Every structure is written in C-alpha cells, then in structure tokens.
Amino acid sequence: MATKVAAAKDSAVPAAAVEPPLLVELVALAHRRLTSGLAAALAEEDCTVDQWRVLRALADGEGRAMGELAQALLIPQASLSRLVDALADGGLVHRRQGDHDRRRITAHLSRQGRTRLSRLDALAAAHDAAVRTACGLPDPTGPLTRLATL
C-alpha cells in the first residue's frame, strides 16, 4: 500500500513544473473581482457598472453619438442602446438629433443625471480607495494605465 502511494507521488506533476498564470489571466480575475465589488457599491444607488460608465462618458457635457460611445466603452451597440434607453427613462440622459444630420443622435447627461453621477462617483471613489489601500497600489498613472491603452 505504501508503495502505491509513493508511486502516485512520483508520477504527479512537480509543483515547479506548473506554469505561472499569464498576465491576461491575472487581469481577467482582477477585473472580475474589482467589478463585482464596484457593482455591489453602485447597487446601493440602484445602478449597474455599465450605466455608471455611460454616465461618466457623458459627463463632459459634449454629448456623444451612440456609435462613438459604444466604441469608447467597448459595449455592443445594441446593449448600449438598451442602457441609454433605461437611463433616459429614468431622466438621467436625453437624446438629441444632430443640427446638420438629423440621423445623428447624440446622448447627453441631464441635470438629474449629473446629480446622480456625483453620488455614484463618490461610491466608486470610496471603493477604489479601499482597493488601492488593500493592494498597496500607487496613483493610477503607471502600468495599469498603460495596459488599459493597449
């Protein structure tokens, strides 16, 4: 019996032979954990992470065409349309037709949306600060910022 156990140990893959996780695996895992924590924080205001991202993208007051917004946020156009519909139904966003091209529709943050975004940003900032402290991360400029622009 002891010989079978010893033989099984010898045939097992040595711990040193296990490959370390790839960067893409670590980033994917970190993304999922960060997003789930942020989602829980934003849920206090009955908001999803993607809704918050749309509001933030519109915060500059310039308005964005739907295609441009979808591309910037890496959200499929159909999903973005549903998100903007929900935000518009809640009075947080409004749509405007273009002056020169009536087919061009831009989304804009409403006054109510700007107020709501302030509360959401405060929750997100608190979550961000807690994660940075727990991980000992410095300011956002650095490897993660460079990685996000690849």
Side-chain angles (χ1 to χ4, degrees):
M1 181 75 146
T3 327
K4 287 183 182 178
V5 171
K9 281 185 181 179
D10 290 340
S11 67
V13 177
V18 175
E19 294 291 323
L22 296 173
L23 179 60
V24 70
E25 293 173 295
L26 293 172
V27 170
L29 181 58
H31 172 263
R32 287 186 179 142
R33 290 201 173 145
L34 286 170
T35 303
S36 67
L38 178 58
L42 295 175
E44 293 177 24
E45 286 285 329
D46 194 31
C47 184
T48 69
V49 172
D50 281 340
Q51 287 173 334
W52 171 72
R53 292 180 64 223
V54 169
L55 294 174
R56 282 181 58 88
L58 298 175
D60 64 4
E62 298 297 315
R64 298 278 172 92
M66 297 299 283
E68 175 190 333
L69 196 53
Q71 196 171 26
L73 297 176
L74 299 175
I75 296 174
Q77 184 115 15
S79 298
L80 178 68
S81 291
R82 286 190 296 274
L83 281 167
V84 171
D85 286 345
L87 292 169
D89 290 346
L92 305 175
V93 168
H94 62 272
R95 292 185 177 95
R96 223 182 267 162
Q97 283 186 323
D99 294 334
H100 302 292
D101 182 355
R102 310 276 295 157
R103 295 170 297 173
R104 181 177 157 89
I105 306 295
T106 55
H108 299 264
L109 196 59
S110 69
R111 187 174 295 130
Q112 182 181 348
R114 192 164 305 284
T115 300
R116 176 88 181 275
L117 180 57
S118 293
R119 290 192 311 269
L120 297 171
D121 278 347
L123 291 171
H127 175 275
D128 186 74
V131 168
R132 286 176 188 281
T133 299
C135 296
L137 291 175
D139 70 83
T141 59
L144 290 176
T145 301
R146 287 194 304 278
L147 186 61
T149 63
L150 291 179

